């Protein structure tokens, strides 16, 4: 039988999980799920299909669709996992934006970031373990065979991002791309969870947020791999550094880029701030000064008003 000491320990653990510790556990698992399905979809497109004998053509548009939809569905599942406990930020840029404009407690921000990076690292580690044979086979199948992972940009791309060749070695194109992509993500998340606006009901919000990620991947993805999430890039990047991809991970060097590691961190953090400010300036604050639903006039013909306009700016 369990003694009083065991019961006290169990009760203490229960109390911890009721508050911030529980939120951090949810952020860890939600981000791990995000990376498991997201990086897993890239592994399928880059190494899994060619090595399995199920694909006889080079990487092309169909593979990019796998990646775009893989990451979009990964967001859906990650949000469903963590949403009821932590709000499913699963992205440091979202956490920062909500601290700035949604009164999310600042003291929780570093802990959320740490949980998100740890979850992303764990998810990447599982993908690495599952696709290790495919990665090795892909490298050996190249002409000439690649015997050092540090020479394989394609397999590195399963886990972390790099800029398109047309940017050359300039950081500004990828940096702006990450600002714009993340601003779109955060602004649209703000719109989709704003119950004063046209927020989706019946718990389908995660699907619509996932569609935002699909749209960003299809519209802006090839510029810099659309990290749009510092944890999603930094956690797997740490994994690749440990697993032998060397300077492709840190400092982030390749044939046409160098010292790239900081761009998928700084760009999304700045983009998240821009996105939340833009939404609030153009829509959120407008909703905040409009009449309450019961006092509002009947919408003009051809206009639809959200079913619930309550909430805060």
């Amino acid at each position: 039988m369990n003694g009083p000491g065991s019961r006290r320990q169990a009760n203490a653990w229960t109390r911890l999980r009721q508050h911030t510790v529980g939120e951090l556990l949810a952020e860890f698992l939600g981000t791990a799920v995000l990376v498991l399905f997201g990086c897993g979809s890239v592994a399928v497109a880059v190494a899994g299909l060619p090595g399995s004998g199920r694909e006889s053509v080079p990487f092309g548009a169909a593979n990019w669709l796998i990646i775009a939809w893989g990451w979009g569905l990964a967001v859906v599942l990650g949000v469903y996992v963590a949403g009821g406990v932590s709000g499913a930020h699963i992205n440091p840029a979202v956490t920062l934006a909500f601290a700035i404009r949604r009164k999310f407690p600042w003291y929780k921000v570093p802990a959320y970031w740490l949980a998100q990076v740890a979850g992303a690292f764990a998810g990447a580690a599982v993908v690495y373990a599952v696709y290790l044979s495919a990665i090795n086979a892909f490298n050996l199948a190249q002409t000439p065979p690649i015997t050092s992972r540090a020479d394989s940009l394609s397999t590195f791309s399963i886990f972390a991002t790099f800029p398109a060749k047309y940017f050359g070695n300039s950081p500004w194109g990828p940096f702006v791309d990450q600002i714009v992509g993340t601003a779109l993500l955060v602004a649209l998340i703000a719109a989709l969870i704003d119950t004063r606006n046209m927020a989706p009901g019946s718990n389908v919000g995660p699907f619509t947020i996932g569609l935002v990620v699909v749209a960003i991947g299809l519209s802006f993805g090839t510029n810099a791999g659309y990290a749009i999430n510092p944890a999603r890039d930094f956690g797997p990047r740490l994994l690749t550094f440990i697993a032998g991809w060397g300077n492709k991970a840190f400092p982030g060097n390749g044939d046409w880029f160098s010292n790239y590691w900081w761009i998928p961190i700084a760009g999304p953090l700045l983009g998240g701030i821009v996105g939340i400010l833009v939404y609030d300036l153009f829509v959120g604050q407008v909703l905040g000064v409009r009449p309450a639903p019961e006092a509002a006039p009947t919408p003009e013909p051809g206009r639809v008003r959200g079913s619930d306009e309550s909430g805060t700016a």
Side-chain angles (χ1 to χ4, degrees):
M1 296 178 63
N2 293 330
S6 297
R7 286 195 295 272
R8 282 196 297 270
Q9 290 177 349
N11 290 336
W13 178 234
T14 298
R15 287 193 296 273
L16 283 173
R17 289 184 295 172
Q18 287 175 339
H19 302 291
T20 303
V21 171
E23 295 171 12
L24 300 181
L25 291 171
E27 284 294 300
F28 173 90
L29 184 59
T31 312
V33 168
L34 166 71
V35 170
L36 273 165
F37 285 98
C39 288
S41 71
V42 186
V44 166
V46 170
L49 283 173
S52 69
R54 294 177 174 86
E55 178 182 86
S56 58
V57 296
F59 185 100
N63 302 74
W64 192 255
L65 287 174
I66 291 172
I67 293 170
W69 281 100
W71 277 109
L73 292 172
V75 169
V76 172
L77 299 174
V79 173
Y80 272 125
V81 164
V85 177
S86 68
H89 297 186
I90 60 176
N91 183 337
V94 173
T95 301
L96 178 61
F98 283 9
I100 289 173
R101 293 295 298 170
R102 294 298 183 271
K103 299 181 180 179
F104 181 76
W106 278 102
Y107 75 88
K108 291 185 180 182
V109 170
Y112 264 55
W113 284 2
L114 182 61
Q116 291 156 358
V117 171
F121 180 91
V126 174
V127 172
Y128 173 76
V130 170
Y131 279 98
L132 178 59
S133 295
I135 289 168
N136 291 337
F138 178 87
N139 285 337
L140 292 175
Q142 303 309 298
T143 306
I146 297 175
T147 57
S148 171
R149 288 180 189 161
D151 297 326
S152 178
L153 184 61
S154 293
T155 54
F156 170 78
S157 73
I158 291 171
F159 301 99
T161 63
F162 62 91
K165 188 178 293 186
Y166 44 73
F167 287 125
N169 196 33
S170 171
W172 299 114
F175 187 65
V176 170
D177 170 83
Q178 288 300 288
I179 292 172
V180 171
T182 314
L184 288 169
L185 173 67
V186 172
L188 287 163
I189 288 174
L192 291 167
I193 66 174
D194 192 342
T195 55
R196 304 164 306 169
N197 203 337
M198 296 287 290
S202 304
N203 293 324
V204 299
F207 278 98
T208 55
I209 293 172
L211 287 175
V212 172
V213 175
V214 174
I216 293 171
L218 294 177
S219 302
F220 297 94
T222 58
N223 277 335
Y226 72 112
I228 58 175
N229 181 336
R232 167 267 175 274
D233 189 87
F234 188 70
R237 189 177 292 270
L238 285 174
L239 184 278
T240 59
F241 183 74
I242 295 169
W245 275 270
N247 65 3
K248 282 193 170 43
F250 292 101
N253 293 344
D255 292 342
W256 61 85
F257 58 94
S258 61
N259 197 36
Y260 185 76
W261 70 273
W262 64 273
I263 292 177
I265 298 174
L269 290 175
L270 180 56
I273 297 170
V274 171
I276 201 76
L277 291 175
V278 167
Y279 176 77
D280 282 350
L281 176 63
F282 286 91
V283 177
Q285 293 174 356
V286 174
L287 290 169
V289 298
R290 296 179 72 193
E294 59 273 13
T298 302
E300 297 173 5
R303 297 188 60 185
V304 179
R305 188 176 67 222
S307 58
D308 180 4
E309 297 185 23
S310 62
T312 59

